[in-house]
């Protein structure tokens, strides 16, 4: 299993919009082949900072599900961000 971890920082006026877009993304990925779940973690120090994690059977499963991401959700997410997201991919040991 692999975990994709995204560090996201919303504009102060768009933190709610980012959380809503991520919730929509979670719903869109539900049932995708190889998807093992997603979660949002909000920083206790900064409500605009969210870590978003996706668990997948493999990198290939993640890549093959890319077409499931609705453009409107991705556009809403990107519009809410104050900076480029950070991304890391981890292998579950």
């Amino acid at each position: 299993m692999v975990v994709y971890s995204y560090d996201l920082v919303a504009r102060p006026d768009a933190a709610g919009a980012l959380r809503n877009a991520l919730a929509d993304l979670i719903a869109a990925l539900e049932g995708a082949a190889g998807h093992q779940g997603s979660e949002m973690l909000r920083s206790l120090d900064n409500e605009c900072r969210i870590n978003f994690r996706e668990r997948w059977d493999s990198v290939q499963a993640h890549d093959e599900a890319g077409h499931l991401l609705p453009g409107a959700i991705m556009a809403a997410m990107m519009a809410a961000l104050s900076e480029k997201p950070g991304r890391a991919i981890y292998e579950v040991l």
Side-chain angles (χ1 to χ4, degrees), residues 31-53:
H35 182 248
Q36 298 296 322
S38 298
E39 64 186 347
M40 280 186 274
L41 305 170
R42 185 175 63 193
S43 170
L44 292 175
D45 297 328
N46 179 351
E47 69 176 18
C48 293
R49 183 174 296 279
I50 293 176
N51 181 266
F52 184 74
R53 297 179 188 173

Side-chain angles (χ1 to χ4, degrees), residues 3 11 17 22 31-32 38 50 55 57 64 77 81 86 89 92:
V3 176
R11 295 187 333 269
L22 292 171
S38 298
I50 293 176
R55 292 176 301 286
D57 288 343
E64 289 175 358
M77 187 176 72
L81 295 175
I89 307 169
V92 176

Side-chain angles (χ1 to χ4, degrees), residues 69-91:
L69 304 179
I73 292 173
M74 298 308 290
M77 187 176 72
M78 298 307 287
L81 295 175
S82 68
E83 59 190 60
K84 182 179 177 182
R87 181 181 96 161
I89 307 169
Y90 300 93
E91 179 179 21

